Amino acid sequence: MDTKIVIVGAGYAGILTAKKLANRFRKNKGVSITIIDKNPFHTMLTELHEVAAGRVDESGIRISLKRVFAGRDVDVRQDLVTEIDFEKRTVIGSNERYEYDYLVLCAGSKPTYFGVSGAEEHAYTLWSYEDAILLKDRIPDMFRKAAGELDEEEKKRLLTFHVVGAGFTGVEMAGELAEYVPVLCDRYEIERELVSISVIDVLDRTVPTLPPKLSAKVERRLKKMGVRVLLNTRVVSIGEDFIEFGNGEDTTHERTGTVIWAAGIEAADITEKAAEDLEAAGRGRIKVDQYLRSVKDERVYVIGDNMHYIPPGEEHPVPQVVENCEHSAATAAHNIVCAVTGKGEMKVYKPSFHGIMVSLGGRYGVAHVGFPNRKFSLPSFLAMFVKHFINMVYFVQLLGWNKIFSYMKKEFFTIRHCRSFVGGHLSNRTPSFLLMPLRVWLGAVWVFEGIKKILEGWFVSPKLEGFFNGANQWYNNILNGTGGTADGASGATPAAADAESAAT
Amino acid sequence: MDTKIVIVGAGYAGILTAKKLANRFRKNKGVSITIIDKNPFHTMLTELHEVAAGRVDESGIRISLKRVFAGRDVDVRQDLVTEIDFEKRTVIGSNERYEYDYLVLCAGSKPTYFGVSGAEEHAYTLWSYEDAILLKDRIPDMFRKAAGELDEEEKKRLLTFHVVGAGFTGVEMAGELAEYVPVLCDRYEIERELVSISVIDVLDRTVPTLPPKLSAKVERRLKKMGVRVLLNTRVVSIGEDFIEFGNGEDTTHERTGTVIWAAGIEAADITEKAAEDLEAAGRGRIKVDQYLRSVKDERVYVIGDNMHYIPPGEEHPVPQVVENCEHSAATAAHNIVCAVTGKGEMKVYKPSFHGIMVSLGGRYGVAHVGFPNRKFSLPSFLAMFVKHFINMVYFVQLLGWNKIFSYMKKEFFTIRHCRSFVGGHLSNRTPSFLLMPLRVWLGAVWVFEGIKKILEGWFVSPKLEGFFNGANQWYNNILNGTGGTADGASGATPAAADAESAAT
């Protein structure tokens, strides 16, 4: 009898689970693995700000699911899951129905607006591929409109950006934007003074998951980049062309061109709906046991952003970060294999996080990394290095070593406006026509050398004998002993023979 | 007393007039020249389709007015002209008022919808910089949405494009789009069969200004590129997601994602308004005499798209093409100089057009060029060559020779997706990091050679003597006669001296 495993969501957690399961069940034809996502691609959510601010091409954060699962026995379905029937063990998509024996739920998150009036209608978010694309078009659009605007007040309004939320997403977006602004000012002949970027948060420091010292560093850097940082400030409402915020007593009404909402997330719709049948906890997440199974239905594994789990001895549930997706995927995959095969022992989920990294633009970052009990801060260059290193480790798991080169190319070497942390030269691109003389010269030399070799008789007698013989000898030397003594020995043999013949 | 010349509109005609006037009045401080445009840049309208379809970067069609008039005595004002008071000789902008003694009106055109219901609200146009940018974002957006769309019918609708009008703009846009589609299909993993491009026109052939044979060639090429060409077909109405068209009896209702309106133009608002005071003719244009002055007010010169002039012996008014802008600008500038200085004789406008070129994508074009009485068709490659050559001639007039290199770079060598008529290799770009080994090697050789030269004593005694002496001799040879005899002479002199001393 067949066992059907269905994974809902092809985010960080979903993809890794599917890959691990496919590896373990490679030779077991009785197990089928299906992964369902509404997009035909996986999005690297942590890099959205890079696309939104025009630094990295959009193809850099989109990974084709076909490519991820090429050559693997995973059925990729493009569908939108609208309901899950836990009684009948059926996932209901808008196109199809999928029966399952084991379900992995990792549908990810969506922005939450905390009831701020007008936020959902008027603010831009940064939580999906679509969001990044909208902002990528919106930001230069504002500069373009401002360039053609005759009214000075309106021009300033168009050039005003408010980022709500000073967590990861907020500060990374603001930093990226601040770095983009000079490029845009130059392109559209606009003075830098007319542009204003603000970051607003209700808390008293930026990225509260960092230690206070690093939060202060982030704040200083943002200010240095020309970003106004408003802390202890609550956003009251957002309109088509304004934002209202206050610090308790006073409320400020400011005209604005673009509000980017980066203030918080909650579970995706389908997870919230599923949580009604299972056990919900904290903003639509689902409570799981130590093996990452729903506490209500042990055939349902909930991982990544969708899980709510407080490890023994801890106070807070595991955070909604990429590292949690990676670790929970590994544990869930292992436990599903145990459940399906009946062999081995289930693992208890013991996440161990190695820290967080925040990048402000393409050339500056702060990091607080290490092991659970011992973390340290890294200087900017190393922080950026670690950030990219972690992405690369992720890629190896996802796509194999091949992807590394294309990631490096996209993140380091083809960055626009030289905004790469490895510096201007390496991220620049040379029009190939400038290399024409070099290529023509190399080609000419190649043809000339070729003709010479043909005239020397390369078509009629083997000419690489010496070369391959040299290689043969080199291998023999290695096989027969060290190079030096082998040489001595081979040299000595005829001499000894000579001596022998002389003696006779 | 000062003479004030005001030019309304910085299109092809306005810029050339301003430049020519600035040159002629360079030393005459009594004449001031003001040019007014609502944008701080000039747009190359004939290349809009290239930006709309993502082939050329938007900076390739935008030329900063500051740069155009750098070092010239022309006052560039960014303003929107709302009214002209011909009695008081005053141009009224939304920011300022400008008095004039001579006015040059060349405010260009805008699309006209011939009363087709829904066209203005729902169709995209291709008549300004903004239009091109909107389409540039819209087209990939449709593919992106289609990639994430689960409903097959809706997916097809998103991927349906209708171009209304098979004149220049229409067929160039359709050709460009057809060339762009495979790139987008590849990027978003969409099958080419799902995409549909149609061109609709009420006339019976494409680009009616071409001879019938070339029209047929354009039609064949479009069909080969996968474009459906519907001739003798009138568009009845356009909605948010549909278009209705018919050929007299039947009406077809088709679902569509994007309608691009390229069916016709009329004079800009300000010209239409001015035409009420002066004499209007044909879609808001203004009637001019043979010297290009309004027939009602001889201080007002009307040129480019805004003029309505039927040359003696002709039936039709001069066409609204770039060549007409260039020629009328030259005539108007000359006649204004005559009027201001009271010297010389005014020229009668005698336009002579050298033909038209239509490009279908970046690699194919047809052209019908030559002299008024003798025109011939050009094969595709030559047609593209002529098209670019004409643009370059225009640039030389506009910006001097400097701009040529940047035009060539943008149009031939940095084209995206290798869609350049000079071919894939030349338009490709190499990430500079690939050249690192070469640069490091060249640097090492340079340092090594430098050290060697220092050790040879280059710091203590002059080593380039031989080199410069060689040059000295070469110059002397040229100055004293041909190389051969000079050498002989200088060789002969000591010999002769020797002979002399021997003889004595």
Side-chain angles (χ1 to χ4, degrees), chain A residues 40 58 62 64 78 80 94 133 137 144 147-148 150 187-189 413 425 428-430 432-433 436 439, chain B residues 40 58 62 64 78 80 94 133 137 144 147-148 150 187-189 413 425-426 428-430 432-433 439:
Chain A
E58 58 169 285
R62 188 188 59 216
S64 158
Q78 192 181 344
L80 180 70
S94 63
I133 298 294
D137 293 344
R144 211 176 285 126
L150 303 167
R187 191 188 296 168
Y188 297 104
E189 301 187 10
F413 302 130
H425 173 71
N428 200 1
R429 286 165 81 81
T430 308
S432 293
F433 74 95
M436 270 296 275
R439 297 205 179 183
Chain B
E58 57 171 286
R62 188 187 61 219
S64 157
Q78 194 182 343
L80 180 71
S94 63
I133 299 293
D137 293 344
R144 211 177 283 126
L150 304 167
R187 193 188 295 167
Y188 297 105
E189 301 186 9
F413 301 130
H425 174 71
L426 288 175
N428 200 0
R429 286 165 83 79
T430 308
S432 293
F433 74 95
R439 297 202 180 187

Short mmCIF file of all heavy atoms in Angstrom, two decimals, chain A residues 40 58 62 64 78 80 94 133 137 144 147-148 150 187-189 413 425 428-430 432-433 436 439, chain B residues 40 58 62 64 78 80 94 133 137 144 147-148 150 187-189 413 425-426 428-430 432-433 439:
data_model
loop_
_atom_site.label_atom_id
_atom_site.label_comp_id
_atom_site.label_asym_id
_atom_site.label_seq_id
_atom_site.Cartn_x
_atom_site.Cartn_y
_atom_site.Cartn_z
N PRO A 40 5.28 28.89 -9.08
CA PRO A 40 6.14 27.82 -9.61
C PRO A 40 7.59 28.01 -9.16
O PRO A 40 8.47 27.33 -9.64
CB PRO A 40 6.01 27.98 -11.12
CG PRO A 40 5.68 29.43 -11.32
CD PRO A 40 4.95 29.90 -10.10
N GLU A 58 15.78 40.71 -10.17
CA GLU A 58 14.74 39.90 -9.54
C GLU A 58 14.99 38.40 -9.69
O GLU A 58 14.55 37.62 -8.85
CB GLU A 58 13.36 40.26 -10.09
CG GLU A 58 13.24 40.11 -11.60
CD GLU A 58 11.80 40.22 -12.07
OE1 GLU A 58 11.02 39.28 -11.88
OE2 GLU A 58 11.47 41.25 -12.64
N ARG A 62 14.56 34.41 -7.02
CA ARG A 62 13.51 33.48 -7.45
C ARG A 62 14.19 32.20 -7.90
O ARG A 62 15.07 32.22 -8.75
CB ARG A 62 12.76 34.11 -8.61
CG ARG A 62 11.52 33.38 -9.05
CD ARG A 62 11.00 34.01 -10.32
NE ARG A 62 12.00 33.95 -11.34
CZ ARG A 62 12.23 34.87 -12.27
NH1 ARG A 62 11.52 35.96 -12.30
NH2 ARG A 62 13.18 34.72 -13.16
N SER A 64 13.50 28.46 -9.43
CA SER A 64 12.50 27.60 -10.07
C SER A 64 12.36 26.29 -9.30
O SER A 64 13.34 25.59 -9.04
CB SER A 64 12.94 27.33 -11.49
OG SER A 64 12.34 26.16 -11.97
N GLN A 78 1.46 23.31 -8.71
CA GLN A 78 1.16 24.72 -8.54
C GLN A 78 -0.33 24.84 -8.23
O GLN A 78 -1.18 24.60 -9.08
CB GLN A 78 1.51 25.49 -9.81
CG GLN A 78 1.50 27.00 -9.61
CD GLN A 78 1.82 27.75 -10.89
OE1 GLN A 78 2.34 27.16 -11.84
NE2 GLN A 78 1.55 29.04 -10.90
N LEU A 80 -3.35 26.61 -5.10
CA LEU A 80 -3.57 27.40 -3.89
C LEU A 80 -4.41 26.58 -2.93
O LEU A 80 -5.55 26.22 -3.24
CB LEU A 80 -4.29 28.70 -4.24
CG LEU A 80 -4.58 29.63 -3.07
CD1 LEU A 80 -3.29 30.24 -2.55
CD2 LEU A 80 -5.55 30.72 -3.48
N SER A 94 -7.40 24.93 -4.99
CA SER A 94 -8.41 25.50 -5.86
C SER A 94 -8.48 24.76 -7.18
O SER A 94 -9.45 24.89 -7.92
CB SER A 94 -8.17 27.00 -6.07
OG SER A 94 -6.96 27.20 -6.71
N ILE A 133 8.75 43.30 -6.24
CA ILE A 133 8.65 43.82 -7.60
C ILE A 133 7.89 45.14 -7.62
O ILE A 133 8.27 46.09 -8.30
CB ILE A 133 7.93 42.79 -8.51
CG1 ILE A 133 8.72 41.50 -8.58
CG2 ILE A 133 7.66 43.37 -9.88
CD1 ILE A 133 10.04 41.62 -9.26
N ASP A 137 9.52 48.82 -8.84
CA ASP A 137 8.99 49.75 -9.84
C ASP A 137 8.58 51.08 -9.21
O ASP A 137 8.73 52.14 -9.82
CB ASP A 137 7.77 49.14 -10.56
CG ASP A 137 8.14 47.94 -11.41
OD1 ASP A 137 9.34 47.78 -11.69
OD2 ASP A 137 7.24 47.18 -11.78
N ARG A 144 11.02 59.70 -10.81
CA ARG A 144 10.67 60.11 -12.16
C ARG A 144 9.56 61.15 -12.11
O ARG A 144 9.63 62.19 -12.75
CB ARG A 144 10.20 58.87 -12.92
CG ARG A 144 10.48 58.87 -14.37
CD ARG A 144 10.05 57.56 -14.97
NE ARG A 144 10.96 56.48 -14.67
CZ ARG A 144 10.62 55.33 -14.11
NH1 ARG A 144 9.36 55.09 -13.76
NH2 ARG A 144 11.51 54.41 -13.89
N ALA A 147 10.81 64.41 -10.77
CA ALA A 147 11.61 65.17 -11.74
C ALA A 147 10.71 66.02 -12.63
O ALA A 147 11.07 67.13 -13.02
CB ALA A 147 12.44 64.21 -12.59
N GLY A 148 9.51 65.53 -12.92
CA GLY A 148 8.61 66.27 -13.79
C GLY A 148 7.60 67.12 -13.02
O GLY A 148 6.71 67.70 -13.63
N LEU A 150 6.28 70.28 -10.91
CA LEU A 150 6.63 71.69 -10.84
C LEU A 150 6.40 72.27 -9.45
O LEU A 150 7.07 73.21 -9.04
CB LEU A 150 5.81 72.47 -11.87
CG LEU A 150 5.99 71.95 -13.30
CD1 LEU A 150 4.94 72.53 -14.21
CD2 LEU A 150 7.38 72.26 -13.81
N ARG A 187 20.47 60.07 -11.41
CA ARG A 187 19.81 59.70 -12.66
C ARG A 187 18.73 60.71 -13.05
O ARG A 187 18.58 61.04 -14.21
CB ARG A 187 19.20 58.30 -12.52
CG ARG A 187 18.72 57.72 -13.82
CD ARG A 187 17.95 56.44 -13.65
NE ARG A 187 18.73 55.35 -13.09
CZ ARG A 187 18.19 54.21 -12.65
NH1 ARG A 187 16.90 54.02 -12.69
NH2 ARG A 187 18.97 53.26 -12.14
N TYR A 188 17.97 61.20 -12.06
CA TYR A 188 16.86 62.09 -12.38
C TYR A 188 17.16 63.55 -12.06
O TYR A 188 16.24 64.38 -12.01
CB TYR A 188 15.58 61.61 -11.68
CG TYR A 188 15.16 60.25 -12.16
CD1 TYR A 188 15.37 59.12 -11.38
CD2 TYR A 188 14.62 60.09 -13.42
CE1 TYR A 188 15.02 57.86 -11.84
CE2 TYR A 188 14.27 58.83 -13.90
CZ TYR A 188 14.47 57.73 -13.10
OH TYR A 188 14.15 56.49 -13.57
N GLU A 189 18.41 63.87 -11.80
CA GLU A 189 18.83 65.25 -11.53
C GLU A 189 18.01 65.88 -10.40
O GLU A 189 17.40 66.94 -10.57
CB GLU A 189 18.74 66.08 -12.82
CG GLU A 189 19.63 65.48 -13.91
CD GLU A 189 19.72 66.35 -15.16
OE1 GLU A 189 19.26 67.49 -15.12
OE2 GLU A 189 20.28 65.88 -16.16
N PHE A 413 29.13 39.92 -8.11
CA PHE A 413 29.83 40.34 -9.31
C PHE A 413 28.98 41.04 -10.36
O PHE A 413 29.49 41.59 -11.30
CB PHE A 413 30.52 39.12 -9.93
CG PHE A 413 31.48 38.47 -8.99
CD1 PHE A 413 31.45 37.12 -8.77
CD2 PHE A 413 32.42 39.25 -8.31
CE1 PHE A 413 32.35 36.52 -7.89
CE2 PHE A 413 33.31 38.66 -7.44
CZ PHE A 413 33.27 37.30 -7.23
N HIS A 425 35.08 47.35 -8.36
CA HIS A 425 35.66 46.73 -9.54
C HIS A 425 35.03 45.38 -9.85
O HIS A 425 34.64 45.10 -10.97
CB HIS A 425 37.16 46.57 -9.39
CG HIS A 425 37.75 45.80 -10.52
ND1 HIS A 425 37.85 46.32 -11.78
CD2 HIS A 425 38.20 44.53 -10.59
CE1 HIS A 425 38.35 45.41 -12.58
NE2 HIS A 425 38.57 44.31 -11.89
N ASN A 428 31.45 45.36 -11.25
CA ASN A 428 31.24 46.08 -12.49
C ASN A 428 31.11 45.09 -13.65
O ASN A 428 31.48 43.94 -13.54
CB ASN A 428 32.43 47.01 -12.72
CG ASN A 428 32.08 48.11 -13.69
OD1 ASN A 428 30.96 48.20 -14.18
ND2 ASN A 428 33.04 48.94 -13.99
N ARG A 429 30.56 45.57 -14.76
CA ARG A 429 30.51 44.72 -15.95
C ARG A 429 31.13 45.47 -17.12
O ARG A 429 30.90 46.64 -17.30
CB ARG A 429 29.07 44.36 -16.29
CG ARG A 429 28.48 43.33 -15.36
CD ARG A 429 26.98 43.26 -15.49
NE ARG A 429 26.58 42.46 -16.63
CZ ARG A 429 26.51 41.14 -16.61
NH1 ARG A 429 26.83 40.49 -15.53
NH2 ARG A 429 26.11 40.47 -17.67
N THR A 430 31.91 44.78 -17.88
CA THR A 430 32.57 45.39 -19.03
C THR A 430 31.80 45.01 -20.29
O THR A 430 31.56 43.83 -20.51
CB THR A 430 34.00 44.81 -19.15
OG1 THR A 430 34.64 44.95 -17.89
CG2 THR A 430 34.79 45.52 -20.22
N SER A 432 31.29 43.62 -23.66
CA SER A 432 32.20 42.67 -24.29
C SER A 432 32.90 43.25 -25.51
O SER A 432 33.97 42.81 -25.88
CB SER A 432 31.45 41.41 -24.70
OG SER A 432 31.02 40.73 -23.56
N PHE A 433 32.28 44.28 -26.14
CA PHE A 433 32.91 44.78 -27.36
C PHE A 433 34.28 45.40 -27.07
O PHE A 433 35.13 45.45 -27.94
CB PHE A 433 31.99 45.78 -28.08
CG PHE A 433 31.89 47.12 -27.42
CD1 PHE A 433 32.70 48.17 -27.83
CD2 PHE A 433 30.99 47.34 -26.39
CE1 PHE A 433 32.59 49.41 -27.24
CE2 PHE A 433 30.89 48.57 -25.79
CZ PHE A 433 31.70 49.61 -26.21
N MET A 436 36.95 42.94 -27.74
CA MET A 436 37.09 42.47 -29.12
C MET A 436 38.55 42.38 -29.57
O MET A 436 38.97 41.33 -30.06
CB MET A 436 36.31 43.38 -30.07
CG MET A 436 34.89 42.95 -30.29
SD MET A 436 34.78 41.35 -31.09
CE MET A 436 34.92 41.87 -32.80
N ARG A 439 40.20 39.40 -28.05
CA ARG A 439 39.70 38.14 -28.58
C ARG A 439 40.20 37.90 -30.00
O ARG A 439 40.55 36.79 -30.37
CB ARG A 439 38.17 38.14 -28.57
CG ARG A 439 37.64 38.24 -27.17
CD ARG A 439 36.26 37.66 -27.04
NE ARG A 439 35.85 37.79 -25.64
CZ ARG A 439 34.72 37.32 -25.15
NH1 ARG A 439 33.90 36.68 -25.93
NH2 ARG A 439 34.42 37.48 -23.88
N PRO B 40 12.46 68.03 -17.31
CA PRO B 40 13.84 68.55 -17.37
C PRO B 40 14.67 67.81 -18.42
O PRO B 40 15.87 68.00 -18.48
CB PRO B 40 14.37 68.28 -15.96
CG PRO B 40 13.60 67.12 -15.48
CD PRO B 40 12.26 67.14 -16.16
N GLU B 58 16.09 52.83 -19.89
CA GLU B 58 15.34 54.07 -20.05
C GLU B 58 16.24 55.29 -20.21
O GLU B 58 15.86 56.27 -20.83
CB GLU B 58 14.37 54.29 -18.88
CG GLU B 58 15.06 54.30 -17.52
CD GLU B 58 14.11 54.75 -16.42
OE1 GLU B 58 13.79 55.94 -16.33
OE2 GLU B 58 13.69 53.87 -15.66
N ARG B 62 16.36 59.34 -22.79
CA ARG B 62 16.14 60.58 -22.05
C ARG B 62 17.42 61.39 -22.12
O ARG B 62 18.49 60.91 -21.76
CB ARG B 62 15.83 60.22 -20.60
CG ARG B 62 15.40 61.34 -19.72
CD ARG B 62 15.30 60.86 -18.28
NE ARG B 62 16.60 60.39 -17.83
CZ ARG B 62 16.81 59.34 -17.07
NH1 ARG B 62 15.82 58.64 -16.62
NH2 ARG B 62 18.03 58.98 -16.75
N SER B 64 19.17 64.88 -20.89
CA SER B 64 19.06 66.01 -19.97
C SER B 64 19.15 67.34 -20.73
O SER B 64 20.10 67.57 -21.47
CB SER B 64 20.18 65.90 -18.95
OG SER B 64 20.45 67.16 -18.40
N GLN B 78 11.67 74.71 -16.50
CA GLN B 78 10.76 73.59 -16.34
C GLN B 78 9.41 74.13 -15.90
O GLN B 78 9.25 74.63 -14.78
CB GLN B 78 11.32 72.61 -15.30
CG GLN B 78 10.61 71.27 -15.31
CD GLN B 78 11.12 70.33 -14.25
OE1 GLN B 78 12.20 70.54 -13.71
NE2 GLN B 78 10.36 69.31 -13.94
N LEU B 80 4.86 74.19 -17.04
CA LEU B 80 3.80 73.69 -17.91
C LEU B 80 3.04 74.88 -18.46
O LEU B 80 2.43 75.65 -17.70
CB LEU B 80 2.86 72.79 -17.11
CG LEU B 80 1.70 72.19 -17.90
CD1 LEU B 80 2.18 71.14 -18.88
CD2 LEU B 80 0.67 71.59 -16.95
N SER B 94 2.38 77.41 -15.44
CA SER B 94 1.76 77.21 -14.14
C SER B 94 2.65 77.78 -13.03
O SER B 94 2.18 78.00 -11.92
CB SER B 94 1.43 75.74 -13.91
OG SER B 94 2.60 74.99 -13.88
N ILE B 133 7.69 53.91 -19.75
CA ILE B 133 8.04 53.33 -18.45
C ILE B 133 6.89 52.46 -17.92
O ILE B 133 7.11 51.37 -17.41
CB ILE B 133 8.33 54.46 -17.43
CG1 ILE B 133 9.52 55.29 -17.89
CG2 ILE B 133 8.54 53.92 -16.04
CD1 ILE B 133 10.81 54.56 -17.90
N ASP B 137 7.16 48.34 -17.20
CA ASP B 137 6.82 47.62 -15.97
C ASP B 137 5.64 46.67 -16.18
O ASP B 137 5.58 45.60 -15.61
CB ASP B 137 6.46 48.61 -14.85
CG ASP B 137 7.65 49.45 -14.41
OD1 ASP B 137 8.79 49.06 -14.75
OD2 ASP B 137 7.45 50.48 -13.75
N ARG B 144 4.63 37.73 -14.94
CA ARG B 144 4.81 37.35 -13.54
C ARG B 144 3.48 36.89 -12.95
O ARG B 144 3.39 35.86 -12.30
CB ARG B 144 5.32 38.58 -12.81
CG ARG B 144 6.22 38.30 -11.66
CD ARG B 144 6.70 39.60 -11.09
NE ARG B 144 7.75 40.21 -11.88
CZ ARG B 144 7.71 41.45 -12.37
NH1 ARG B 144 6.67 42.23 -12.15
NH2 ARG B 144 8.72 41.91 -13.06
N ALA B 147 2.44 33.59 -14.35
CA ALA B 147 3.20 32.46 -13.79
C ALA B 147 2.54 31.97 -12.50
O ALA B 147 2.55 30.78 -12.20
CB ALA B 147 4.64 32.86 -13.53
N GLY B 148 1.97 32.90 -11.73
CA GLY B 148 1.36 32.53 -10.46
C GLY B 148 -0.14 32.27 -10.57
O GLY B 148 -0.81 32.05 -9.56
N LEU B 150 -3.48 30.23 -11.47
CA LEU B 150 -3.84 28.82 -11.54
C LEU B 150 -4.92 28.55 -12.59
O LEU B 150 -4.98 27.48 -13.16
CB LEU B 150 -4.31 28.33 -10.17
CG LEU B 150 -3.28 28.57 -9.05
CD1 LEU B 150 -3.91 28.37 -7.70
CD2 LEU B 150 -2.10 27.63 -9.24
N ARG B 187 12.07 33.31 -18.79
CA ARG B 187 12.29 33.80 -17.43
C ARG B 187 11.21 33.31 -16.47
O ARG B 187 11.50 32.98 -15.33
CB ARG B 187 12.33 35.33 -17.44
CG ARG B 187 12.85 35.91 -16.15
CD ARG B 187 12.71 37.42 -16.06
NE ARG B 187 13.51 38.12 -17.05
CZ ARG B 187 13.35 39.41 -17.32
NH1 ARG B 187 12.44 40.13 -16.70
NH2 ARG B 187 14.12 40.00 -18.22
N TYR B 188 9.96 33.30 -16.93
CA TYR B 188 8.86 32.93 -16.02
C TYR B 188 8.32 31.53 -16.28
O TYR B 188 7.24 31.18 -15.82
CB TYR B 188 7.75 33.98 -16.10
CG TYR B 188 8.23 35.34 -15.64
CD1 TYR B 188 8.50 36.35 -16.54
CD2 TYR B 188 8.47 35.58 -14.29
CE1 TYR B 188 8.98 37.58 -16.12
CE2 TYR B 188 8.95 36.79 -13.86
CZ TYR B 188 9.20 37.79 -14.77
OH TYR B 188 9.69 39.00 -14.36
N GLU B 189 9.04 30.75 -17.07
CA GLU B 189 8.66 29.36 -17.34
C GLU B 189 7.24 29.25 -17.86
O GLU B 189 6.39 28.57 -17.29
CB GLU B 189 8.86 28.49 -16.10
CG GLU B 189 10.31 28.52 -15.61
CD GLU B 189 10.59 27.56 -14.46
OE1 GLU B 189 9.72 26.75 -14.15
OE2 GLU B 189 11.69 27.64 -13.90
N PHE B 413 25.83 48.06 -27.96
CA PHE B 413 26.77 47.26 -27.18
C PHE B 413 26.29 46.88 -25.79
O PHE B 413 26.90 46.05 -25.14
CB PHE B 413 28.10 47.99 -27.10
CG PHE B 413 28.70 48.26 -28.44
CD1 PHE B 413 29.15 49.51 -28.78
CD2 PHE B 413 28.79 47.25 -29.38
CE1 PHE B 413 29.69 49.76 -30.03
CE2 PHE B 413 29.33 47.48 -30.63
CZ PHE B 413 29.78 48.75 -30.96
N HIS B 425 27.36 38.76 -29.61
CA HIS B 425 28.62 38.93 -28.90
C HIS B 425 28.88 40.38 -28.51
O HIS B 425 29.25 40.68 -27.39
CB HIS B 425 29.79 38.42 -29.74
CG HIS B 425 31.10 38.72 -29.10
ND1 HIS B 425 31.51 38.07 -27.98
CD2 HIS B 425 32.05 39.64 -29.39
CE1 HIS B 425 32.68 38.55 -27.62
NE2 HIS B 425 33.03 39.50 -28.45
N LEU B 426 28.66 41.29 -29.47
CA LEU B 426 29.01 42.68 -29.21
C LEU B 426 28.11 43.32 -28.17
O LEU B 426 28.52 44.27 -27.50
CB LEU B 426 28.97 43.49 -30.50
CG LEU B 426 30.11 43.18 -31.48
CD1 LEU B 426 29.90 43.93 -32.77
CD2 LEU B 426 31.46 43.56 -30.87
N ASN B 428 26.77 41.81 -25.61
CA ASN B 428 26.87 41.12 -24.33
C ASN B 428 27.74 41.92 -23.37
O ASN B 428 28.48 42.81 -23.78
CB ASN B 428 27.49 39.75 -24.58
CG ASN B 428 27.20 38.79 -23.45
OD1 ASN B 428 26.52 39.14 -22.49
ND2 ASN B 428 27.71 37.60 -23.57
N ARG B 429 27.66 41.62 -22.08
CA ARG B 429 28.54 42.25 -21.11
C ARG B 429 29.23 41.17 -20.29
O ARG B 429 28.63 40.19 -19.91
CB ARG B 429 27.74 43.16 -20.17
CG ARG B 429 27.31 44.44 -20.83
CD ARG B 429 26.24 45.13 -20.02
NE ARG B 429 26.80 45.93 -18.93
CZ ARG B 429 27.33 47.12 -19.09
NH1 ARG B 429 27.36 47.66 -20.28
NH2 ARG B 429 27.79 47.79 -18.07
N THR B 430 30.49 41.36 -20.05
CA THR B 430 31.27 40.39 -19.29
C THR B 430 31.44 40.91 -17.87
O THR B 430 31.86 42.05 -17.70
CB THR B 430 32.67 40.26 -19.91
OG1 THR B 430 32.52 40.01 -21.29
CG2 THR B 430 33.48 39.17 -19.26
N SER B 432 33.25 41.99 -14.83
CA SER B 432 34.66 42.36 -14.80
C SER B 432 35.52 41.39 -14.01
O SER B 432 36.71 41.28 -14.25
CB SER B 432 34.82 43.76 -14.23
OG SER B 432 34.27 44.70 -15.11
N PHE B 433 34.89 40.67 -13.06
CA PHE B 433 35.72 39.81 -12.22
C PHE B 433 36.36 38.70 -13.05
O PHE B 433 37.40 38.17 -12.69
CB PHE B 433 34.93 39.25 -11.04
CG PHE B 433 33.96 38.17 -11.41
CD1 PHE B 433 34.30 36.84 -11.30
CD2 PHE B 433 32.68 38.48 -11.86
CE1 PHE B 433 33.41 35.85 -11.63
CE2 PHE B 433 31.78 37.49 -12.19
CZ PHE B 433 32.14 36.17 -12.07
N ARG B 439 44.00 41.30 -15.57
CA ARG B 439 44.43 42.58 -15.01
C ARG B 439 45.58 42.39 -14.03
O ARG B 439 46.52 43.17 -14.00
CB ARG B 439 43.27 43.27 -14.29
CG ARG B 439 42.16 43.60 -15.26
CD ARG B 439 41.27 44.70 -14.77
NE ARG B 439 40.24 44.94 -15.77
CZ ARG B 439 39.37 45.91 -15.73
NH1 ARG B 439 39.40 46.76 -14.72
NH2 ARG B 439 38.48 46.07 -16.67
#
